[in-house]
Amino acid sequence: MKEKKIFYLNGFFRCGNTILRSIINQNPDFCITSNSIVPEIIYSLIRLKENDIFKEQNDHKSFDNVLKNVLNNYYSSWKQQYIIEQGPWGTSFNYNALKELGHLPSKFIFLIRPLDEIIASWVRLDKPEKKDLEQYYSDLLGEHGRIGKSFLAFKHLLENDKDNLLIIKYHDLCSNSNKTLKNLYNFLEIPFYKKHRFTNLDQVNTSFVQTTIRTNVIKKKKYDYKKYVNKNILKNYIEINEIFKKYSS
């Protein structure tokens, strides 16, 4: 049995991750996971080293045998040869964990679109009250927020492993899906699957409203983003906004 090749997807939400998963998963030998629990498994195991029972045994070799095989064991029963793990792997802690466990070098993928579009998409989904918008923006863009946490991961990868990072622009995915897909295959050095379709897509997760997709066609949904984003909000997040402008346009 061939050893599986595992890559890492740590894109911004509301940027086409689910669309990309639906397309890739048409390939019987290749898949993108849903948001993965594996980073939490590894984090929990690492924290166990602080346990008094572990300190009493102090058997690092046996414990590390478990840690180093979490990823491979987790996907051992999966039929796919190539797996893209979706999770916050680009954060400093998770990236260093991958490194210490011998899973690097590997390849990382990040989906991105203009910041105002991401914020607008979340506002349209969550529908916060106007009186709560300032706090809502802060929650989104803070270091533990749905945008802020991904931004820290993105910045960390740019600074530490840019050569192994593929940035996929949401607009490119929508306007030229086939070319974007070929670039991904080339980046991962995987034989291109010629039977991909870009209409009649399958839903890949119907558990959450935010992960449903338009199945008949891939296109950017047009609406007035300024209607949903306070014009002054981006001025409070200069560093984030400047990096988004550089890599998403």
Side-chain angles (χ1 to χ4, degrees), residues 112-123:
I112 191 171
R113 69 192 293 191
L115 182 56
D116 60 341
E117 293 184 18
I118 299 178
I119 295 174
S121 183
W122 277 118
V123 171

Side-chain angles (χ1 to χ4, degrees), residues 65 104 125 155 206 211 216 248:
N65 285 338
L104 298 183
L125 179 68
K155 184 180 176 183
T206 57
T211 59
N216 59 324
S248 67

Side-chain angles (χ1 to χ4, degrees), residues 8-46:
Y8 306 96
L9 171 65
N10 192 165
F12 292 97
F13 295 112
R14 317 301 296 168
C15 292
N17 296 279
T18 308
I19 294 173
L20 184 64
R21 183 184 306 124
S22 180
I23 298 170
I24 289 295
N25 289 8
Q26 296 164 13
N27 183 342
D29 205 29
F30 187 18
C31 72
I32 297 177
T33 73
S34 57
N35 286 313
S36 174
I37 196 173
V38 176
E40 291 298 324
I41 293 174
I42 291 176
Y43 174 75
S44 297
L45 286 172
I46 291 174

